[in-house]
Amino acid sequence: MSALAIDIGGTFTDIVLYDDTTGRFAAHKELTTPADPAMGVVAGIRHLFAQEGTDAAGVTRVVHATTLFTNALIERRGAPTGLITTAGFRDTLEIGHERKYELYDLHLPLPQPLVRRALRLEAVERLAPDGAVEIPLDAASVLAAAERLVAQGVESIAIAFLHAYANPAHEQDAARLVAERHPSVILSLSSDVAPQIREFDRTSTTVANAYVKPLAEKYLNRLSGDLAALGITAPLFMMLSNGGLTHVDEAKRVPVQLLESGPAAGALSAAFFGERSGCRDLLAFDLGGTTAKLALVHGGEPLVVHKFEAGRERRFTSGSGVPLTISTIELIEIGAGGGSIAAHDALGLLKVGPRSASSVPGPACYARGGTEPTVTDGNLLLGYLDAETFAGGTMKLSMEAARSAVGALASKAGLDVPQTAAGIHAVVNETMAAAARVHVAEQGHDPRDFALLVTGGGGPLHGCELARRLGITQVICPPGAGVASALGLLLAPARVDRVATISRRLDGMDWPTLEEAYAKLESEARAVIAATIGEGTRPILRRAADLRFVGQGYELITELPPGPYDARMEAAIREAFLSGYERVFSRRPAVAAIEIINIRVSATGSTAGSSLDPEVPKAAQGDPRTGTRQARFGQAEYEVPVLDRRRLAAGTEITGPAIVEEAMSTLLIPPGARAMVEAGGNIAIHLAQPATAMAPERETA
């Protein structure tokens, strides 16, 4: 039995074929085909099947993650979308939260709504906050709005009425009216997509879902057909942003849940391989061709949050993007990857990214039409990459093209090519380190308390230098690091997150009603799990709630004990909230009244064969040394041994400098570092260098 994992990135599409019986996996990197992503997937699968001499009959499950929907939203390439909302609330998307993310910037760029004003229309209706009908739904106004939208070429309509989270009846009636009159129009209801309080966030999430939903349906239908044409009849699972899997129909219904699917899989992979090295506190660092991702794994699990911002005007500034109320693994994306373009700014300073050469045309060394210098070009010139075996030997790199591109940049600065290549490498490392420091600090942690686990095609190349800049002394490089996100897909459980708004004070709680609300969410979650991995599954259920002190404007999501709930649970819920509040804010205010705003349920269930056990040779498989290469570290040149990772037996010790190559990535071990090949397959690197001034010593009492 084999599992097939597919991860579409901005530059490469990774395909992994994993044998559940032997623990062996084979992988292939195919250049992503942005105009038709399914074409790259099919080409990659065919190549891998031919390479391994296998066929589709043995594939028992297919797991997929993609950046397609994220990119469509960020680049504004979604379907023509309209919005029907309550009369008087047409401008909710413009008004937003009514606050500036930079208070004193008079020329502040704001994220533009996904739906322009002419396509935001109103219906006559009104619900009270408790769901009671104040103004009945006027069918004629709904149909008139739909007619105007369809006449303007709208393919997808979001319906978001005031207080629909408390009573979905008006939205459901409006959807029925529109579907009967315009059956080809795709609909998204806020009571289905984001049934919780806060009008702007709920409307924004529903509109984003409507914006990518036609694209999702078209793509998933196309991919399902292409897989069937290849003879693959196994079920197709889609990775969600929360680190779980779902079935295709659920993915088509709410594709906004898939936006961060690829990075989520990478975080799961990092947690798994970190556990093998006895590390449960990790910074999971993935560097691909277009972006770098960093996720914090604490206590063996990635942190899951229930909000996300897409397409930020300023990459690290909260409030500058399109808010989405989806469950997602907490991470940051940095505009730094192998394809990131190096250039001088207006002051003549070297900058790297966020512009990327992507897969088309790609870095100059790909010899596919790119002429601007990139991180990959610099790494090739520094001696870190083998031009003949890059990406598993599926493509040859051009040293001449890289030298020409970097040389043009060097001549402008009055430097030689090696100095400029080293500068590109150093600048991109510091860009990533600066972002990592901010992200870890915002979570209330010190990076020196973590190990750094490196994945992606470029993570092992840059990981040790990034760790040095963060003051981290342990770096872990798992097997198959270049396709770790695809491997993470094989580890993911089926998962469902459900939320509902109740807005009740804890001291006046109607406990039977609360338990009934939780039970309803759990029943819905069980149904989706059963549809994903089969009837008879007993999912693990977790309860949480958004709690706050009465009068506060924002909530703290708090894990709660399992049900059933009655009045005897009040003390336990109160203590869970107060403990979480103290952990975040370092104190417990002298306030007694607490209220529950939203209740949350997550359900997870193991998929068949969701395991991973890559084989590691117990004894040396021939001489691992394949030669040497001239490589530059800092200002010094070294004759560096090149090792084949497939021939490294468990227990092998490596002293830096060294270059360890495997099919999809290259690990750079710097001078002075010591590495060990562990029995579980990881290479653990200990950096002897002391923490730099950029990671200051802790103050002692």
Side-chain angles (χ1 to χ4, degrees), residues 73 201 204-205 208 256 259 306-310 322-326:
L73 194 151
D201 301 83
S204 176
T205 306
V256 73
L259 293 184
H306 301 283
K307 59 182 180 179
F308 176 70
E309 283 187 20
V322 177
L324 305 172
T325 54
I326 62 173

Side-chain angles (χ1 to χ4, degrees), residues 537-559:
T537 303
R538 295 178 61 87
I540 298 172
L541 297 169
R542 293 183 178 178
R543 292 183 174 187
D546 301 2
L547 296 106
R548 68 187 186 189
F549 291 113
V550 172
Q552 286 185 318
Y554 292 91
E555 299 80 47
L556 182 69
I557 299 177
T558 305
E559 292 285 336

Side-chain angles (χ1 to χ4, degrees), residues 1-5 16-27 48 52 54 58-61 487 490 609 611-615:
M1 295 192 302
S2 298
L4 189 65
V16 170
L17 185 66
Y18 178 75
D19 190 317
D20 291 319
T21 304
T22 65
R24 180 180 177 273
F25 69 87
L48 190 57
E52 296 301 307
T54 188
V59 176
T60 56
R61 63 191 175 107
L487 289 172
L490 304 173
S611 61
L612 192 62
D613 189 19
E615 56 185 12

Side-chain angles (χ1 to χ4, degrees), residues 31 136 227 245 302 313 334 349 354 363 369 409 524 534 599 627:
L31 280 171
L227 293 175
L245 302 178
E313 294 291 329
I334 308 162
L349 301 176
L409 187 69
E524 294 174 358
I599 61 172

Side-chain angles (χ1 to χ4, degrees), residues 2-8 13-18 20 41 45 48-49 59-66 219-220 223-224 227 232-248 251 258 261-262 264-266 268 483-495 532-533 605-612:
S2 298
L4 189 65
I6 306 164
D7 179 31
I8 300 179
T13 293
D14 296 341
I15 315 288
V16 170
L17 185 66
Y18 178 75
D20 291 319
V41 171
I45 292 174
L48 190 57
F49 281 1
V59 176
T60 56
R61 63 191 175 107
V62 182
V63 192
H64 182 31
T66 176
Y219 170 73
L220 293 175
L223 181 62
S224 297
L227 293 175
I232 298 174
T233 58
L236 172 62
F237 300 112
M238 296 301 299
M239 184 74 180
L240 300 173
S241 302
N242 62 13
L245 302 178
T246 193
H247 58 88
V248 172
L258 279 64
S261 57
L268 290 179
V483 291
S485 288
L487 289 172
L489 294 172
L490 304 173
L491 301 166
R495 174 164 177 158
T532 303
I533 57 178
S606 296
T607 55
S610 57
S611 61
L612 192 62

Side-chain angles (χ1 to χ4, degrees), residues 149-323:
L149 293 175
V150 171
Q152 296 183 75
V154 162
E155 298 174 9
S156 183
I157 294 177
I159 300 177
F161 290 158
L162 190 66
H163 303 308
Y165 59 86
N167 181 358
H170 280 187
E171 286 192 350
Q172 293 169 351
D173 289 345
R176 177 180 51 79
L177 291 166
V178 175
E180 289 174 353
R181 185 69 61 88
H182 304 284
S184 63
V185 171
I186 295 173
L187 301 174
S188 295
L189 311 185
S190 77
S191 51
D192 284 341
V193 176
Q196 61 189 92
I197 197 170
R198 292 203 168 91
E199 200 68 19
F200 171 48
D201 301 83
R202 181 163 56 88
T203 304
S204 176
T205 306
T206 308
V207 166
N209 191 76
Y211 192 67
V212 300
K213 194 171 182 177
L215 178 67
E217 289 198 1
K218 180 180 178 182
Y219 170 73
L220 293 175
N221 288 337
R222 161 76 189 277
L223 181 62
S224 297
D226 286 344
L227 293 175
L230 290 171
I232 298 174
T233 58
L236 172 62
F237 300 112
M238 296 301 299
M239 184 74 180
L240 300 173
S241 302
N242 62 13
L245 302 178
T246 193
H247 58 88
V248 172
D249 288 341
E250 178 71 5
K252 290 179 184 177
R253 186 182 72 85
V254 196
V256 73
Q257 297 181 23
L258 279 64
L259 293 184
E260 290 292 283
S261 57
L268 290 179
S269 180
F272 171 82
F273 284 109
E275 193 84 50
R276 286 193 154 202
S277 291
C279 290
R280 295 174 60 81
D281 293 335
L282 300 163
L283 298 183
F285 171 63
D286 182 295
L287 179 64
T290 306
T291 59
K293 280 79 67 176
L294 186 81
L296 192 148
V297 177
H298 189 48
E301 291 189 5
L303 177 65
V304 175
V305 295
H306 301 283
K307 59 182 180 179
F308 176 70
E309 283 187 20
R312 283 179 170 174
E313 294 291 329
R314 295 183 181 170
R315 185 174 293 272
F316 304 118
T317 304
S318 177
S320 66
V322 177

Side-chain angles (χ1 to χ4, degrees), residues 433-637:
R437 289 189 201 99
V438 172
H439 180 67
V440 176
E442 286 178 342
Q443 305 304 316
H445 294 286
D446 186 321
R448 292 171 293 180
D449 295 332
F450 295 82
L452 186 73
L453 191 139
V454 293
T455 58
L461 270 177
H462 294 261
C464 288
E465 176 61 18
L466 175 64
R468 185 186 69 80
R469 290 171 183 266
L470 294 174
I472 294 173
T473 58
Q474 184 178 10
V475 178
I476 300 170
C477 182
V483 291
S485 288
L487 289 172
L489 294 172
L490 304 173
L491 301 166
R495 174 164 177 158
V496 180
D497 287 285
R498 286 288 186 265
V499 60
T501 297
I502 62 169
S503 294
R504 301 281 183 87
R505 284 176 60 129
L506 194 60
D507 55 13
M509 180 62 64
D510 181 340
W511 293 97
T513 299
L514 178 65
E515 178 59 30
E516 181 182 348
Y518 268 112
K520 181 173 182 287
L521 295 184
E522 289 171 346
S523 177
E524 294 174 358
R526 284 192 187 95
V528 176
I529 293 289
T532 303
I533 57 178
E535 298 289 344
T537 303
R538 295 178 61 87
I540 298 172
L541 297 169
R542 293 183 178 178
R543 292 183 174 187
D546 301 2
L547 296 106
R548 68 187 186 189
F549 291 113
V550 172
Q552 286 185 318
Y554 292 91
E555 299 80 47
L556 182 69
I557 299 177
T558 305
E559 292 285 336
L560 299 182
Y565 290 166
D566 55 30
R568 292 172 294 181
M569 293 298 297
E570 180 177 348
I573 294 175
R574 179 182 296 275
E575 179 56 32
F577 170 64
L578 293 175
S579 296
Y581 198 97
E582 185 175 20
R583 183 180 65 255
V584 174
F585 299 108
S586 301
R587 64 185 61 201
R588 298 189 182 198
V591 180
I594 297 171
E595 59 184 340
I596 298 179
I597 302 302
N598 300 315
I599 61 172
R600 299 182 182 274
V601 164
S602 70
T604 56
S606 296
T607 55
S610 57
S611 61
L612 192 62
D613 189 19
E615 56 185 12
V616 181
K618 301 296 187 293
Q621 307 291 304
D623 186 0
R625 183 164 172 156
T626 61
T628 61
R629 203 154 61 230
Q630 196 78 14
R632 180 176 180 134
F633 292 86
Q635 300 301 314
E637 295 276 348

